[in-house]
């Protein structure tokens, strides 16, 4: 009995310390239904340079403009994660249903953080395109925000998104810092 209780407590503690217990973000597939009270953010990834790991990801974290910080903590952490094979060339898009607000490049990311002082607006009931994050041959992450270039591709990949996709508005913010979960 003691062993069962100890195992249960260990599982609960591990879950609490994982820094991602609750995430109120839903990744959308091409035929997902969309809640009109939420927002949809879409962004792409293009790996042009050599990335040594098998997968490359770009994560965006929910950001609070008032406190100038990501909203995450050890129990709740709203964030997106788009991941592609590091050898699969070309643009790859992901869409996420999120709580309306702002999102910023994650400080937990292991890529160049020069883009992390820009927050992207996700207004209620709107679909916004953040841009395409490009990891270039010089091993630098930069952002292409040409919606006209990718609009047809996005409509084809996400046909259930009936609204027009707008370019996300941006605002300069303080560089976010990661939080640490320890006992």
């Amino acid at each position: 009995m003691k062993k069962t209780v100890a195992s249960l407590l260990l599982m609960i503690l591990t879950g609490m310390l994982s820094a991602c217990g609750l995430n109120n973000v839903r990744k959308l597939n091409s035929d997902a239904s969309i809640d009109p009270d939420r927002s949809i953010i879409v962004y792409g990834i293009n790996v042009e340079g050599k990335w040594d790991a098998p997968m490359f990801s770009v994560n965006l974290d929910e950001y609070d403009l008032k406190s100038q910080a990501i909203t995450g903590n050890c129990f709740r952490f709203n964030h997106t994660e788009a991941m592609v094979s590091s050898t699969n060339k070309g643009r790859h898009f992901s869409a996420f249903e999120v709580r309306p607000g702002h999102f910023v490049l994650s400080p937990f990311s292991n890529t160049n953080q020069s883009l992390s002082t820009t927050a992207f607006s996700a207004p209620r009931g709107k679909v916004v395109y953040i841009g395409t994050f490009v990891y270039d041959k010089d091993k630098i992450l930069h952002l292409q925000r040409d919606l006209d270039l990718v609009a047809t591709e996005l409509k084809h990949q996400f046909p259930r998104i009936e609204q027009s996709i707008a370019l996300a508005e941006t605002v300069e913010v303080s560089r976010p810092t990661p939080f640490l979960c320890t006992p």
Side-chain angles (χ1 to χ4, degrees):
M1 178 72 171
K2 273 186 167 181
K3 208 172 196 179
T4 304
V5 171
S7 295
L8 180 61
L9 287 174
L10 182 61
M11 286 183 356
I12 291 170
L13 184 60
T14 302
M16 288 172 41
L17 296 178
S18 68
C20 58
L22 298 174
N23 185 4
N24 196 14
V25 169
R26 180 173 66 119
K27 187 169 185 176
L28 299 176
N29 57 28
S30 62
D31 61 348
S33 61
I34 298 165
D35 183 339
D37 290 329
R38 306 264 290 169
S39 302
I40 305 296
I41 60 175
V42 180
Y43 61 92
I45 300 176
N46 187 358
V47 181
E48 295 175 348
K50 182 176 179 348
W51 184 256
D52 293 328
M55 301 299 285
F56 183 86
S57 68
V58 173
N59 302 339
L60 299 180
D61 298 341
E62 186 179 47
Y63 190 87
D64 182 6
L65 292 180
K66 195 179 296 184
S67 66
Q68 291 287 297
I70 58 174
T71 62
N73 59 43
C74 297
F75 304 104
R76 182 187 60 80
F77 181 38
N78 292 336
H79 63 281
T80 69
E81 180 178 34
M83 188 176 298
V84 299
S85 168
S86 58
T87 59
N88 196 350
K89 303 302 177 192
R91 286 188 298 259
H92 304 277
F93 295 100
S94 296
F96 302 88
E97 184 181 80
V98 300
R99 194 166 73 169
H102 290 84
F103 285 79
V104 67
L105 185 64
S106 179
F108 294 103
S109 191
N110 59 356
T111 57
N112 180 327
Q113 290 293 307
S114 64
L115 299 172
S116 66
T117 59
T118 301
F120 305 95
S121 177
R124 179 179 311 282
K126 302 292 183 189
V127 181
V128 295
Y129 171 65
I130 303 293
T132 299
F133 292 91
V134 179
Y135 184 72
D136 69 20
K137 291 174 177 43
D138 295 325
K139 299 185 177 186
I140 296 172
L141 184 69
H142 60 92
L143 184 61
Q144 294 176 339
R145 292 183 34 92
D146 186 350
L147 180 57
D148 292 335
L149 179 69
V150 299
T152 303
E153 204 172 340
L154 292 176
K155 277 296 188 188
H156 178 71
Q157 185 169 342
F158 302 106
R160 294 285 305 251
I161 297 177
E162 296 172 358
Q163 298 169 263
S164 61
I165 300 173
L167 191 61
E169 293 183 13
T170 62
V171 60
E172 289 299 309
V173 296
S174 296
R175 184 179 307 282
T177 56
F179 53 84
L180 179 63
C181 293
T182 59

